[in-house]
Amino acid sequence: MWPVWRLEVEVRVLCARHPHLGLLAALRRYPELRGEPVILGGAPELRLPVVAASEAAQAAGVRVGQPLRQAQQSCPAAVFVPLDPTGVARLHAAVCAELHRLSPTVEAGDEEAFGDLSGRHAEFPDEAAWASALARGLRGVLDVEIAVGVAGSRFVARLAARASHPGRIRRVRSGD
């Protein structure tokens, strides 16, 4: 019987949290709205929920999932914009392409993206340098600061990213 060789590679996952891709697409389409209260989801007379809200709208009490009419009452100065599926698809493809450039396995959603950091990439001396390169690349694609978490599982990486601040990387050692 031949011996079985196993390479044990420590699993490391990167989670990058960013504003909703639909909101970013709307702000690219209407750059004059940057810094203003913006609510993504459509006109307030529609019976639809808020899909995303800018920081200014959130500060006025707007929350994702609440009815658009209620959001209008919370923030009367807000600008309501519809979801742009084409712009969202373009941003999603750009995020995936950037992650694929530096990570073999990726997954991207509306507000977070995951990359596999297991093993080592020849261009980078360690995990921190690799995570920084991925964060810089995503920041360049999305044109916003992102919060990054790196851990041994997807769940813990997500928690680390949520506990991190935009422009920062929070790393959790395996077993912690």
Side-chain angles (χ1 to χ4, degrees):
M1 188 111 189
W2 293 95
V4 176
W5 298 93
R6 291 185 187 171
L7 291 175
E8 295 290 328
V9 176
E10 182 181 9
V11 175
R12 299 300 285 166
V13 178
L14 174 136
C15 176
R17 291 194 44 84
H18 49 77
H20 193 281
L21 291 179
L23 185 61
L24 293 177
L27 293 176
R28 282 187 175 189
R29 189 171 187 181
Y30 307 106
E32 66 275 9
L33 295 178
R34 285 191 185 271
E36 298 294 322
V38 177
I39 299 173
L40 182 67
E45 49 279 349
L46 298 174
R47 297 181 136 221
L48 295 172
V50 171
V51 175
S54 67
E55 287 182 20
Q58 290 176 18
V62 176
R63 298 290 172 250
V64 172
Q66 79 180 126
L68 290 170
R69 246 182 225 164
Q70 187 180 0
Q72 184 182 33
Q73 292 169 354
S74 298
C75 187
V79 176
F80 289 80
V81 295
L83 188 63
D84 175 17
T86 306
V88 172
R90 233 181 280 122
L91 278 176
H92 186 269
V95 166
C96 286
E98 183 59 32
L99 282 173
H100 270 298
R101 193 173 67 77
L102 297 173
S103 177
T105 307
V106 302
E107 179 184 335
D110 287 334
E111 295 182 303
E112 52 193 19
F114 294 92
D116 181 11
L117 297 181
S118 301
R120 294 289 177 252
H121 195 280
E123 294 179 39
F124 304 102
D126 60 13
E127 176 184 283
W130 198 351
S132 294
L134 279 168
R136 276 192 311 274
L138 287 175
R139 185 177 57 236
V141 167
L142 298 175
D143 197 27
V144 293
E145 291 291 332
I146 58 173
V148 175
V150 178
S153 73
R154 190 174 166 203
F155 178 71
V156 177
R158 175 182 280 153
L159 291 178
R162 285 185 179 180
S164 185
H165 299 288
R168 302 272 192 182
I169 297 172
R170 178 166 284 194
R171 295 171 56 213
V172 178
R173 292 180 302 201
S174 291
D176 286 355

